[in-house]
Amino acid sequence: MGKKLKNSGLVGLGVVAGVAISLQFSAMAQKPVDPPLPLEELRQLADVFGLIKSDYVEPVEDKKLLTEAISGMVASLDPHSAYLDKKAYAELREGSQGKFVGLGIEIGQSEDGYIKIVAPIEDSPAWRAGIKPGDLISRLDNMQVKGMSLDESVKKMRGEPGSKVSMTILRKDEAEPLVFNITREEIHQKSVKGKLVEPGYAWVRISQFQEPTVDDMAAKILELYKQDPNIKGLVLDLRNDPGGVLQGAIGVAAAFLPKDSPIVSTNGQLPDQKQIFYGRPEYYELRGENDALAKLPAALKKVPMVVLVNTGSASASEIVAGALQDYKRADIIGSQTFGKGSVQTIRQLTADTAVKLTTARYYTPNGRSIQAKGITPDVAVDENADGDGLNALRTREADLDKHLVNDKEAEGAKGKRDELEEQLRIVALEKKRKPLEYGSGDDFQLQQALNHLKGLPVQLAKQGTTVVSVDSAAAKK
């Protein structure tokens, strides 16, 4: 219990801690290396290689040794840089395109050590088989999963299309375990949901920034305006959005800001990492088609807005929240975000392998660095009426070993971790709570966001506060 609980990950996307990357795909480009190669250290590397080949207890393949050496070298830099072998590279590309081969479930680590079903993806094999939110996976193909990491479980649930996996489920109110035999297939995951939660008020949720996200969001907003041409308040829900493709974040922010507004800037060693990204099609269109935002109603630029965030909101979702906050276009409601303010560029090495390398920090339009800090909400609101749930126990960027420091501010000492007794109290409370469905009538933070838009009292985060009234976004527009 001394460690913070990790966020949920999406099966097939390889997102273990709920933190994706602000992806930029790039051909190999590098800064010229002026100093000579460190020959003495390279000789030591060769000597160690030779020792392992001659003295290790059993033979080791050359390819394995060299691949692991590359992997270790890159991984030693920061928590988000990594060597991508053939399988990892393919999975990353699939995830950014919004499709993957698997079962179609969002999972998290349960407090009992099992793998917990957060939600099945609609019309996926898991959804059709009857898997439900809150189910606990106890076995995969007769292998116990208690204590298994999310990454390991993701790998076991992936496979070839048409192959099967046996899943043993523990379900509340069921006396005996349930066994499901599910056939893997290609999952096309929609990253955008939306609906009119009540007359005049729309809710749009982005679960991850993928290549189709801008197009999907534009289509969803057009659909909502057809249902109600006089929308008077919109909630953009970025809770537990781990990030994703950078262009998706630029396009989403551009939809709500004045034309050609600067959205985000980056700064790194290479000239192409010293950039300002504007709300123009050339910065967010990935498919080379018509501008998906061109047909959106003009009213969208001025409709009062709230952006919902939490500790699981990271990277690209922080870019959107930061831009809308800097322009005072929306009020940010929820909890402090994850704090991942670095950009990872994919440098392809071979046809099947690549390096995911941190190449820059990113900054909001006002020049704020989010790295290891995150976005501070304008209005702090807990996840539930009785507290912030597991958000207080989640890992954030500043908790990760070797994380990049915030170059705009001195990094303060980490706050004292929750005492064991308080952690146990929170976990016990969450065990009794049914899984939260974002956008439902039981969504406490969404209800507070709607109250804020209407100028009604909002229940603030429970840090010695009481129910108070705050200026609404509608009143300020």
Side-chain angles (χ1 to χ4, degrees):
M1 293 302 303
K3 295 182 178 179
K4 290 190 176 182
L5 302 183
K6 291 188 176 181
N7 305 337
S8 64
L10 287 173
V11 171
L13 296 184
V15 183
V16 177
V19 181
I21 50 180
S22 296
L23 289 179
Q24 292 183 314
F25 290 85
S26 172
M28 179 62 73
Q30 60 190 50
K31 181 181 178 182
V33 179
D34 296 328
L37 292 173
L39 296 180
E40 183 176 345
E41 286 76 11
L42 288 174
R43 288 193 189 98
Q44 289 180 9
L45 178 63
D47 289 343
V48 172
F49 180 90
L51 284 171
I52 293 173
K53 293 294 291 182
S54 63
D55 295 7
Y56 188 63
V57 64
E58 57 186 30
V60 184
E61 293 181 359
D62 292 355
K63 183 177 180 180
K64 174 178 172 58
L65 282 175
L66 293 172
T67 298
E68 292 296 334
I70 295 170
S71 179
M73 176 170 58
V74 179
S76 70
L77 299 172
D78 66 77
H80 307 295
S81 294
Y83 169 73
L84 304 175
D85 61 16
K86 181 177 181 179
K87 184 177 181 181
Y89 186 36
E91 289 176 359
L92 182 141
R93 291 163 70 184
E94 286 177 352
S96 68
Q97 294 166 0
K99 61 183 181 180
F100 58 90
V101 176
L103 307 180
I105 50 176
E106 185 179 349
I107 62 172
Q109 201 85 51
S110 84
E111 57 278 355
D112 299 323
Y114 293 108
I115 302 300
K116 184 177 184 178
I117 305 293
V118 176
I121 296 172
E122 188 174 345
D123 201 32
S124 67
W127 185 84
R128 293 193 297 268
I131 301 297
K132 298 180 179 181
D135 285 349
L136 299 178
I137 304 173
S138 64
R139 288 179 175 271
L140 289 169
D141 286 334
N142 292 320
M143 179 177 293
Q144 288 191 6
V145 302
K146 192 166 186 178
M148 183 183 293
S149 70
L150 287 176
D151 194 31
E152 289 177 285
S153 64
V154 165
K155 291 177 180 178
K156 293 190 178 298
M157 284 183 264
R158 291 182 63 86
E160 295 298 320
S163 61
K164 292 187 176 182
V165 61
S166 173
M167 183 184 294
T168 304
I169 292 292
L170 305 179
R171 181 175 294 170
K172 188 178 180 181
D173 301 328
E174 291 285 349
E176 299 292 331
L178 305 174
V179 179
F180 296 86
N181 292 304
I182 306 176
T183 302
R184 299 178 179 94
E185 62 183 53
E186 185 171 88
I187 308 297
H188 292 266
Q189 183 194 9
K190 287 284 186 182
S191 64
V192 180
K193 295 180 181 179
K195 63 181 179 180
L196 294 174
V197 288
E198 56 182 76
Y201 293 91
W203 169 78
V204 176
R205 170 160 174 74
I206 300 176
S207 59
Q208 185 169 9
F209 289 90
Q210 303 167 338
E211 291 180 16
T213 294
V214 175
D215 291 350
D216 290 347
M217 185 196 69
K220 178 57 67 177
I221 289 175
L222 285 171
E223 176 188 319
L224 294 174
Y225 268 92
K226 284 182 180 178
Q227 295 176 37
D228 186 349
N230 300 309
I231 291 175
K232 53 190 176 183
L234 185 146
V235 178
L236 179 63
D237 191 346
L238 301 179
R239 289 173 294 177
N240 283 345
D241 181 332
V245 178
L246 179 62
Q247 288 89 338
I250 295 168
V252 168
F256 304 103
L257 292 173
K259 185 179 179 182
D260 298 340
S261 296
I263 306 296
V264 65
S265 61
T266 60
N267 187 33
Q269 288 198 66
L270 289 171
D272 68 355
Q273 294 298 337
K274 302 177 187 294
Q275 295 190 65
I276 299 175
F277 297 84
Y278 296 87
R280 302 172 188 157
E282 61 264 33
Y283 289 99
Y284 58 77
E285 276 295 336
L286 285 166
R287 300 183 173 191
E289 300 173 359
N290 295 329
D291 180 9
L293 305 184
K295 296 181 180 179
L296 290 176
L300 189 67
K301 298 286 187 181
K302 295 184 178 180
V303 64
M305 280 185 70
V306 161
V307 178
L308 284 175
V309 297
N310 67 1
T311 311
S313 305
S315 196
S317 57
E318 293 175 294
I319 290 176
V320 174
L324 296 179
Q325 187 178 52
D326 276 7
Y327 286 106
K328 302 187 185 304
R329 176 63 186 87
D331 290 320
I332 313 300
I333 288 182
S335 322
Q336 190 87 4
T337 61
F338 184 83
K340 183 184 173 299
S342 60
V343 177
Q344 280 66 48
T345 302
I346 307 304
R347 305 291 196 194
Q348 192 166 351
L349 299 177
T350 69
D352 300 320
T353 64
V355 167
K356 172 164 64 83
L357 196 64
T358 299
T359 53
R361 291 178 175 88
Y362 65 70
Y363 306 85
T364 70
N366 286 349
R368 292 185 293 153
S369 173
I370 297 167
Q371 177 60 24
K373 180 181 179 182
I375 297 293
T376 302
D378 299 303
V379 184
V381 173
D382 288 334
E383 187 170 281
N384 308 294
D386 55 4
D388 207 23
L390 296 177
N391 279 313
L393 306 182
R394 284 175 164 173
T395 299
R396 298 180 70 245
E397 176 78 11
D399 299 313
L400 301 178
D401 291 337
K402 303 176 185 176
H403 68 269
L404 292 180
V405 299
N406 188 306
D407 62 328
K408 292 289 186 177
E409 306 178 1
E411 190 167 332
K414 294 180 185 179
K416 185 179 180 182
R417 289 178 180 265
D418 300 282
E419 297 294 339
L420 178 60
E421 184 177 341
E422 175 64 8
Q423 291 192 31
L424 290 172
R425 186 194 69 80
I426 293 172
V427 170
L429 185 64
E430 292 307 304
K431 286 176 71 174
K432 299 176 183 178
R433 200 188 309 275
K434 68 178 183 179
L436 173 62
E437 180 185 348
Y438 289 143
S440 69
D442 297 327
D443 189 338
F444 176 75
Q445 285 179 320
L446 174 57
Q447 295 307 312
Q448 301 312 303
L450 293 172
N451 287 344
H452 185 71
L453 288 169
K454 298 172 186 176
L456 299 175
V458 172
Q459 182 170 318
L460 301 182
K462 289 204 173 282
Q463 296 176 354
T465 61
T466 57
V467 179
V468 299
S469 294
V470 294
D471 292 337
S472 71
K476 291 190 291 184
K477 301 301 177 186

